[in-house]
């Protein structure tokens, strides 16, 4: 008899990098030997206590972990339902969860003897984290960023340059994150002998979705321990925003085998699901791009479509392959929030809690505003506050001033 | 099973010369002009045609070929129409081998089995799918071989002796050696370095080896043809096409000839190679 559900949601991927039909290694031959090397290096590092110890040292003293699990009392009172906790990833050094993964990959790159690091970035948070750790370890750093994103995320462009990175504005295609990823892959194909590609999310060819997830799982592991400490039990629900989905996967993964925990991923619905948006699961279907099979936004001929979100960090036409699988097996509920809903949530959290979130987690807060009032008062809900809003202040300021005129 | 590709290489071997392989993008700049260009290629001396399947995100191609793909898509090209173009070409030419080259997603969305059946019946001889390494052979390579199509794999400077057998296992028709670690249209490769790589691959396979990436001139095509079983030129032809377009990116009276003339010059270079060697 076929078993519809796996015994463990945490056992994937298989040895070829597949989560169900998703994942895999769909890259040019030039890159294959390097990807196989990376897999070997990662397997060895994972088993090496010295690697873990060194990472833990930097996580504590450089990144500033553990990040707090904060009870959002005023938000909870305002919404009048579930008890809402914020996992404060925005308090990490560099201002987002991205640094957890970058630290891991940079340490792997050092083990592999690579001196040149490339990265792609949307909102710039992954770029800033990569530029920061390259500065710390004295590595050359090149960050590809869509020209549109360079315009709307100026504060992060300036930060990367101050940290000594070269920011390469990408003029091809839609000039956003998807095109930045294409350019980074082209650079990697060209400079494969000395270059390490530091991917910013749980996507790309195997083993990236796995290793990024593992490095980000510290978010969920800490949440589990912190919730035990303050409430003496597991949370009842988890909520996180999803572009590629690394902050979400980091929070979700340690809880996947806890059936009492409801899990919600929130995609960017942009102007609405029938218009321009970036919700790959809600509005896409399985296809192959950037090294993996996953849900993608595309037309009837398999051409990749433009994504849109107010948040440059969510503006990507795909999603990590493990999310596609978790959607198909039904373990995680994928919802979506529009630009306007995210803006409203951005303002609400700023005013009620004195925390200005990035536009990315504002999408998660937007769904909390819907979900929390429907839950009982003893329901424990954790939201991943994956990044802080400093980078979005100019953009949101312009929008709000425009609206008030 | 013998395909048009096998037949063509057997003929060339008898004549003691290398193949001249051309690459153009299907539907660039529009579907009608593109068919005329493809028809003109064998007359100008192309012995094998690689026809690009347009894709929005060609991650191993340079700006010229990406722009060609976007022009074709803007002109209404689809995978279905690419197969119709092949069918139309076959009405007049039943001998020139034709290989479709592109990325997996449009084929995956078309449906692998339906695509293979339609491609075979349209007159396609082989496939080059850049983002399907041997690790993903179950996806398309093995079904393609079963359907009677050649599956031509790329070997690259990073493909070492240990990995070569895996790359060659299900390869047929010919091996496409990518002369540089890089994207299409990048810097030229050193013919001597390429010669060493070709000799290395020949120790593992009896298949013909064609070399591409970075070959732009008749001289370069000739130098490579002296070391390999074929020279592949793509970006230079795509650039010649682009330079013939009007300000709005539309075909002009010069477009077909611009591609045909460069093809003829390159073909002369390749033909000169074996004469020089004899």
């Amino acid at each position: 008899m076929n078993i519809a559900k796996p015994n463990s949601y945490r056992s994937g991927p298989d040895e070829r990098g597949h989560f169900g039909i998703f994942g895999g290694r769909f890259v040019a031959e030039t890159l294959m030997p390097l990807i196989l090397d990376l897999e070997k290096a990662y397997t060895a590092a994972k088993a090496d206590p010295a690697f873990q110890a060194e990472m833990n040292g930097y996580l504590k003293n450089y990144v500033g972990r553990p990040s707090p699990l904060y009870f959002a009392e005023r938000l909870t009172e305002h919404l009048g339902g579930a008890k809402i906790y914020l996992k404060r990833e925005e308090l990490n050094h560099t201002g987002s969860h991205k640094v957890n993964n970058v630290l891991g990959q940079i340490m792997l790159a050092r083990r592999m003897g690579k001196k040149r690091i490339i990265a792609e970035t949307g909102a710039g948070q992954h770029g800033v984290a990569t530029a920061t750790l390259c500065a710390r370890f004295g590595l050359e750093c090149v960050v590809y960023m869509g020209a549109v994103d360079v315009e709307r995320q100026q504060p992060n462009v300036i930060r990367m340059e101050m940290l000594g990175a070269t920011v390469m504005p990408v003029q091809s295609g839609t000039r956003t994150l998807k095109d930045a990823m294409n350019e980074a892959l082209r650079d990697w194909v060209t400079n494969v002998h000395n270059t390490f590609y530091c991917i910013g999310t749980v996507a790309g060819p195997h083993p990236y979705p796995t290793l990024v997830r593992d490095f980000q799982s510290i978010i969920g592991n800490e949440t589990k321990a912190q919730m035990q400490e303050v409430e003496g039990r597991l949370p009842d629900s988890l909520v996180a925003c999803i572009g590629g989905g690394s902050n979400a996967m980091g929070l979700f993964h340690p809880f996947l085998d806890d059936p009492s925990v409801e899990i919600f991923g929130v995609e960017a619905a942009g102007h609405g699901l029938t218009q321009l948006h970036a919700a790959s699961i809600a509005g896409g279907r399985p296809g192959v791009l950037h090294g993996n099979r996953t849900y993608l936004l595309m037309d009837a001929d398999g051409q990749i479509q433009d994504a849109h979100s107010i948040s440059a960090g969510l503006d990507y036409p795909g999603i990590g392959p493990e999310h596609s699988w978790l959607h198909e097996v039904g373990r995680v509920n994928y919802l979506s929030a529009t630009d306007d809903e995210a803006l409203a949530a951005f303002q609400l959290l700023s005013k009620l809690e004195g925390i200005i979130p990035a536009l990315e987690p504002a999408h998660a807060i937007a769904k909390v505003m819907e979900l929390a009032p429907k839950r009982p008062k003893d329901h424990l809900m954790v939201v991943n506050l994956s990044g802080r809003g400093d980078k979005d202040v100019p953009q949101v300021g312009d929008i709000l001033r425009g609206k008030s005129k | 099973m013998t395909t048009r590709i096998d037949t063509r290489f057997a003929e060339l071997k008898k004549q003691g010369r290398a193949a001249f392989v051309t690459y153009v993008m299907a539907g660039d700049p529009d579907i009608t002009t593109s068919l005329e260009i493809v028809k003109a290629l064998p007359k100008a001396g192309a012995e094998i045609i690689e026809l690009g399947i347009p894709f929005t995100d060609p991650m191993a191609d340079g700006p010229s070929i990406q722009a060609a793909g976007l022009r074709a898509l803007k002109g209404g090209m689809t995978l279905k129409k690419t197969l119709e173009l092949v069918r139309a070409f076959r009405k007049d030419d039943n001998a020139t081998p034709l290989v479709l080259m592109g990325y997996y997603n449009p084929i995956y969305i078309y449906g692998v089995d339906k695509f293979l059946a339609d491609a075979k019946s349209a007159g396609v001889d082989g496939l080059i799918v850049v983002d399907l390494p041997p690790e993903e052979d179950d996806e398309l390579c093995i079904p393609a071989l079963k359907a009677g199509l050649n599956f031509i794999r790329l070997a690259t400077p990073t493909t070492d002796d240990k990995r070569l057998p895996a790359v060659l296992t299900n390869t047929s028709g010919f091996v496409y050696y990518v002369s540089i670690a890089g994207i299409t249209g990048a810097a030229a490769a050193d013919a001597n370095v390429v010669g060493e790589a070709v000799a290395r691959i020949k120790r593992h396979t009896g298949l013909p080896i064609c070399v591409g990436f970075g070959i732009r001139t008749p001289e370069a095509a000739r130098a490579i043809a002296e070391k390999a079983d074929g020279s592949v030129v793509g970006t230079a032809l795509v650039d010649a096409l682009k330079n013939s377009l009007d300000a709005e990116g539309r075909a002009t009276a010069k477009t077909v000839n611009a591609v045909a003339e460069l093809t003829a010059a390159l073909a002369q270079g390749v033909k000169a190679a074996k004469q020089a060697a004899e």
Side-chain angles (χ1 to χ4, degrees):
Chain A
M1 200 183 93
N2 285 332
I3 298 164
K5 308 275 178 182
N7 291 326
S8 166
Y9 290 100
R10 301 182 63 191
S11 58
D14 66 18
E15 73 283 358
R16 291 166 63 210
H18 294 140
F19 303 91
I21 67 159
F22 301 104
R25 279 182 289 224
F26 297 89
V27 292
E29 172 59 24
T30 311
L31 297 178
M32 273 312 296
L34 196 86
I35 283 171
L36 297 173
D37 284 352
L38 173 64
E39 190 183 2
K40 263 190 236 154
Y42 178 55
T43 306
K46 239 191 336 192
D48 180 355
F51 181 83
Q52 298 298 341
E54 195 183 3
M55 255 200 73
N56 289 338
Y58 285 109
L59 284 168
K60 184 175 174 209
N61 300 310
Y62 192 73
V63 174
R65 301 205 71 92
S67 70
L69 184 69
Y70 163 72
F71 171 46
E73 195 176 355
R74 292 196 69 209
L75 184 66
T76 298
E77 271 172 23
H78 177 81
L79 296 174
K83 208 169 166 184
I84 300 160
Y85 282 87
L86 304 178
K87 180 61 175 163
R88 302 287 306 274
E89 289 298 300
E90 100 283 8
L91 293 178
N92 292 337
H93 182 40
T94 75
S96 80
H97 69 291
K98 295 289 187 186
V99 69
N100 305 324
N101 162 49
V102 172
L103 173 66
Q105 288 198 50
I106 294 295
M107 291 189 51
L108 264 183
R110 277 158 51 84
R111 270 175 88 98
M112 295 174 77
K114 305 283 180 183
K115 304 268 188 247
R116 181 174 180 269
I117 308 295
I118 58 168
E120 84 295 329
T121 198
Q125 289 304 97
H126 175 60
V128 167
T130 307
T132 298
L133 283 153
C134 286
R136 169 61 186 80
F137 290 108
L139 301 166
E140 183 188 348
C141 181
V142 177
V143 180
Y144 290 90
M145 190 168 183
V148 169
D149 295 337
V150 168
E151 279 304 309
R152 62 178 167 175
Q153 299 288 343
Q154 269 300 311
N156 272 345
V157 174
I158 296 165
R159 285 167 82 192
M160 284 185 269
E161 286 171 351
M162 284 175 174
L163 291 160
T166 305
V167 178
M168 303 284 285
V170 174
Q171 301 290 353
S172 62
T174 52
R175 302 186 296 152
T176 59
L177 182 54
K178 158 182 96 96
D179 309 288
M181 195 150 184
N182 287 334
E183 284 305 318
L185 283 163
R186 288 179 181 134
D187 180 312
W188 199 23
V189 169
T190 307
N191 300 297
V192 70
H193 57 286
N194 71 343
T195 296
F196 186 98
Y197 182 14
C198 184
I199 291 187
T201 192
V202 285
H206 177 64
Y208 281 103
T210 312
L211 68 88
V212 176
R213 174 198 74 196
D214 292 351
F215 292 138
Q216 291 294 5
S217 288
I218 193 167
I219 302 171
N221 286 326
E222 281 180 9
T223 300
K224 222 172 194 180
Q226 289 165 323
M227 199 51 114
Q228 282 292 349
E229 203 182 307
V230 290
E231 295 279 359
R233 65 181 182 92
L234 290 175
D236 299 301
S237 61
L238 306 172
V239 188
C241 67
I242 296 187
S246 70
N247 91 84
M249 194 53 71
L251 176 65
F252 299 169
H253 196 257
F255 292 97
L256 290 176
D257 288 337
D258 297 312
S260 68
V261 182
E262 273 186 292
I263 306 181
F264 299 95
V266 184
E267 299 189 295
H271 298 315
L273 290 177
T274 55
Q275 302 171 59
L276 273 174
H277 64 84
S280 314
I281 285 182
R285 61 208 161 107
V288 175
L289 181 72
H290 292 156
N292 59 175
R293 178 172 12 233
T294 193
Y295 272 72
L296 296 170
L297 301 181
M298 59 183 143
D299 69 11
D301 194 40
Q303 305 297 337
I304 306 304
Q305 284 179 324
D306 299 352
H308 163 79
S309 168
I310 191 172
S311 161
L314 303 181
D315 197 347
Y316 179 70
I319 183 168
E322 194 169 5
H323 284 296
S324 295
W325 178 71
L326 290 169
H327 164 67
E328 290 214 338
V329 297
R331 176 64 186 100
V332 177
N333 300 304
Y334 291 89
L335 311 170
S336 59
T338 63
D339 288 354
D340 287 345
E341 289 171 329
L343 268 175
F346 180 99
Q347 295 172 81
L348 186 75
L349 191 70
S350 301
K351 285 182 179 153
L352 285 181
E353 295 289 351
I355 296 170
I356 298 177
L359 281 169
E360 290 87 343
H363 287 73
I365 302 289
K367 288 296 113 168
V368 168
M369 289 161 66
E370 274 179 32
L371 294 167
K374 295 178 192 153
R375 299 292 188 278
K377 289 193 185 298
D378 61 351
H379 181 105
L380 305 177
M381 182 176 280
V382 177
V383 194
N384 200 6
L385 202 66
S386 56
R388 60 178 173 244
D390 306 28
K391 70 183 170 65
D392 297 318
V393 164
Q395 187 195 356
V396 174
D398 286 350
I399 294 169
L400 296 181
R401 274 197 296 273
K403 277 192 176 166
S404 64
K405 268 177 199 166
Chain B
M1 179 204 61
T2 305
T3 65
R4 287 188 192 91
I5 299 174
D6 303 329
T7 307
R8 177 60 43 105
F9 276 108
E11 288 163 8
L12 289 165
K13 197 173 181 185
K14 256 189 232 164
Q15 297 168 29
R17 53 188 199 89
F20 175 44
V21 185
T22 56
Y23 171 99
V24 291
M25 179 66 75
D28 177 25
D30 61 74
I31 297 171
T32 312
T33 310
S34 183
L35 176 60
E36 283 183 56
I37 290 171
V38 177
K39 282 181 175 177
L41 292 172
K43 294 185 186 96
E47 278 133 350
I48 296 174
I49 296 171
E50 289 176 7
L51 190 59
I53 303 170
F55 184 51
T56 40
D57 294 80
M59 65 183 178
D61 283 299
S64 288
I65 287 180
Q66 181 176 26
L70 295 178
R71 282 195 298 272
L73 291 172
K74 203 176 154 199
M77 203 48 170
T78 62
L79 181 50
K80 186 162 176 278
K81 288 177 184 166
T82 300
L83 295 177
E84 285 166 13
L85 192 155
V86 175
R87 197 177 288 278
F89 168 76
R90 277 281 169 251
K91 279 183 191 160
D92 308 321
D93 186 328
N94 200 33
T96 306
L98 195 144
V99 174
L100 292 183
M101 180 167 185
Y103 295 80
Y104 185 40
N105 199 51
I107 296 170
Y108 179 65
I109 295 306
Y110 193 98
V112 165
D113 291 342
K114 184 174 181 327
F115 167 76
L116 291 173
D118 291 356
K120 182 76 184 165
S121 94
V124 171
D125 301 296
L127 303 174
I128 301 174
V129 184
V130 178
D131 53 354
L132 283 180
E135 282 73 5
E136 304 290 349
D137 264 1
D138 297 343
E139 293 283 336
L140 181 67
C141 171
I142 290 166
L145 296 176
K146 281 188 187 148
L149 288 161
N150 287 129
F151 198 86
I152 295 138
R153 187 104 60 201
L154 305 179
T156 73
T158 60
T159 314
D160 60 16
D161 279 319
K162 211 173 126 217
R163 183 167 168 78
L164 259 176
V167 169
L168 295 169
T169 298
N170 291 317
T171 301
S172 67
F174 60 93
V175 178
Y176 187 139
Y177 181 69
V178 175
S179 65
I180 47 160
I183 52 176
T184 52
D190 180 325
N192 289 324
V193 175
V194 168
E196 286 165 26
V198 170
R200 180 167 69 88
I201 298 169
K202 280 201 180 282
R203 289 200 289 274
H204 294 266
T205 180
L207 287 170
I209 298 162
C210 297
V211 177
F213 284 44
I215 305 171
R216 302 189 67 91
T217 62
E219 294 72 30
R222 172 182 172 162
I224 294 294
E226 281 169 1
K227 309 284 184 187
D229 302 303
S231 282
V232 189
V233 179
T235 298
L237 294 173
V238 168
D239 286 345
L241 184 157
K242 179 187 158 248
N243 293 336
S244 75
L245 302 177
D246 69 14
E248 275 78 51
R250 290 172 306 210
T252 64
K254 293 180 198 155
T255 299
V256 176
N257 270 343
V259 180
E261 279 166 20
L262 181 57
T263 300
L266 291 159
Q268 284 307 314
V270 173
K271 277 188 183 146
K274 288 297 171 178
Q275 288 160 2
E278 275 161 11

